[in-house]
Amino acid sequence: MRVHILDDWHDTLRGLPCFELLKGHDVTVWTDHAEGDALAQRLHPAEALVLFRERTAVDRTLLERLPDLRLISQRGVYPHVDVAACTDHGVTFCSKTGGDGANHAAAELTIGLMLSAMRQIPEQMASAKAGNWQTGVGKTLRGRRLGLYGYGRIGRAVADLGRAFGMEIIWWASEEGRARAAADGETLAASRAAFFAESDVVSLHVRLKPETRGTITGDDLSLMRPGTVFVNTARAELVAPGALLEALDAGVTGAVDVFDTEPMHDPADPLLAHSNLICTPHIGFVTEDEFDRQFADIFAQINAFAANEPINTINPEVLGPASGGRPPVRR
């Protein structure tokens, strides 16, 4: 198949073991980002399209301009893909969600951001490099209360790391998530308000879906005390618009890996430029190890489709009785 891989900005995938799974396919790797006409033109010959998380959106307008496209393969949730449009255009959409085990890269970055905020690592580094030596006094993690919002794989991995630092772990989540946490013997906050008011660090670990967009409100963050830390390595859209900026203005420290607009290139953006913000450019999953694990799944989906045995299919109706159970050949 003619396979096009989008948005491999650092040309990493070709050097990973998983890339061998594409042996025998005609593979094109795009290391820059394109949109609109430029994107449609470069993808015109593609039969299979590999998405690099949510870096590129796939909508009906784009699909209408890709007559040979038969498959889109990715991993994880898919708010950036118009699944109905894929179905209407006979494009099979495969995405393995959940995976096997936690994303430890994201969990580790969460702790890194937490440490950076509590120990003032960016400020201390800047001061030392400027010849000013120490600046300010940080806080230790041991004995602090870590509030984890969302009882999933990554949140539980962060809890394990937090406990290794001697932190007290409390939880808040959906009703179903709180029930699972309680069944596992975890400590729940007395209420949602108490969770935000009594945590020294709040870390968000929820999947972005239509029903979770804006889950964290301005009222929630207003309960956090000045000097406490809000960490988000999940998705920016989980926080209500403007709520984080208001919290920073009120004295909360933000430690985030995600933004509403990505890539973020404006150094004057009010959030990016805020003195109470510590940030990284969406690198929670950006390690060689995590890439190899995730793209092995993505490339396996391509091979399964090519063998007429598709897996992790989100819109199986494309492969229904009308197609005889075989991937449709586009004309």
Side-chain angles (χ1 to χ4, degrees):
M1 297 182 71
R2 295 188 299 275
V3 179
H4 283 236
I5 301 174
L6 290 180
D7 298 308
D8 184 9
W9 295 336
H10 302 291
D11 201 10
T12 304
L13 298 180
R14 277 185 276 229
L16 298 180
C18 66
F19 201 73
E20 283 295 310
L21 292 171
L22 295 181
K23 189 175 182 178
H25 296 288
D26 179 5
V27 181
T28 300
V29 179
W30 297 98
T31 59
D32 62 334
H33 181 74
E35 296 181 0
D37 289 342
L39 179 62
Q41 290 172 12
R42 67 172 45 175
L43 295 181
H44 192 268
E47 293 177 303
L49 177 60
V50 171
L51 300 183
F52 217 116
R53 300 296 289 259
E54 294 119 272
R55 291 178 177 179
T56 291
V58 176
D59 58 17
R60 188 173 297 274
T61 300
L62 177 62
L63 291 169
E64 287 172 350
R65 301 181 64 180
L66 303 179
D68 293 328
L69 188 64
R70 299 166 57 198
L71 170 70
I72 296 174
S73 185
Q74 66 141 57
R75 196 173 185 274
V77 295
Y78 38 89
H80 55 299
V81 177
D82 187 334
V83 178
C86 289
T87 301
D88 291 344
H89 286 81
V91 176
T92 300
F93 177 49
C94 295
S95 184
K96 183 176 181 179
T97 58
D100 301 317
N103 182 334
H104 292 285
E108 290 170 5
L109 182 68
T110 299
I111 296 295
L113 287 170
M114 198 182 306
L115 277 168
S116 294
M118 296 289 275
R119 295 301 301 273
Q120 304 174 331
I121 291 175
E123 298 94 330
Q124 298 288 358
M125 288 178 61
S127 181
K129 286 179 175 289
N132 297 323
W133 205 229
Q134 296 180 8
T135 179
V137 179
K139 301 173 182 177
T140 57
L141 295 185
R142 180 169 291 276
R144 305 280 176 182
R145 178 172 291 177
L146 172 57
L148 296 170
Y149 192 109
Y151 193 70
R153 292 185 178 94
I154 297 177
R156 293 196 296 273
V158 172
D160 290 341
L161 295 172
R163 291 188 182 101
F165 281 95
M167 301 188 80
E168 176 191 354
I169 308 299
I170 64 169
W171 296 88
W172 197 256
S174 65
E175 184 175 353
E176 187 272 336
R178 297 197 303 274
R180 287 190 290 113
D184 289 341
E186 297 286 354
T187 300
L188 297 175
S191 66
R192 182 186 181 99
F195 173 82
F196 286 97
E198 298 173 2
S199 295
D200 297 299
V201 179
V202 169
S203 190
L204 179 58
H205 301 285
V206 177
R207 286 184 179 178
L208 178 62
K209 300 181 288 187
E211 57 268 30
T212 61
R213 189 175 294 269
T215 290
I216 306 301
T217 68
D219 288 344
D220 291 329
L221 297 185
S222 71
L223 296 171
M224 296 184 67
R225 306 182 309 278
T228 56
V229 180
F230 177 75
V231 184
N232 186 1
T233 57
R235 291 294 184 273
E237 296 86 349
L238 295 166
V239 181
L244 179 56
L245 188 58
E246 291 178 3
L248 299 183
D249 288 341
V252 172
T253 297
V256 306
D257 184 47
V258 289
F259 292 86
D260 288 321
T261 300
E262 296 184 1
M264 172 67 76
H265 292 304
D266 181 9
D269 177 85
L271 184 62
L272 187 63
H274 204 289
S275 59
N276 284 343
L277 185 78
I278 293 170
C279 65
T280 47
H282 205 153
I283 60 169
F285 71 111
V286 182
T287 67
E288 293 179 356
D289 313 82
E290 189 62 27
F291 279 2
D292 191 57
R293 187 170 76 98
Q294 293 198 16
F295 280 90
D297 290 336
I298 293 170
F299 299 157
Q301 290 170 172
I302 294 174
N303 289 336
F305 181 88
N308 292 336
E309 298 176 352
I311 56 176
N312 305 320
T313 305
I314 304 301
N315 56 344
E317 58 269 31
V318 174
L319 304 173
S323 66
R326 298 171 62 84
V329 177
R330 304 292 306 284
R331 302 296 184 188

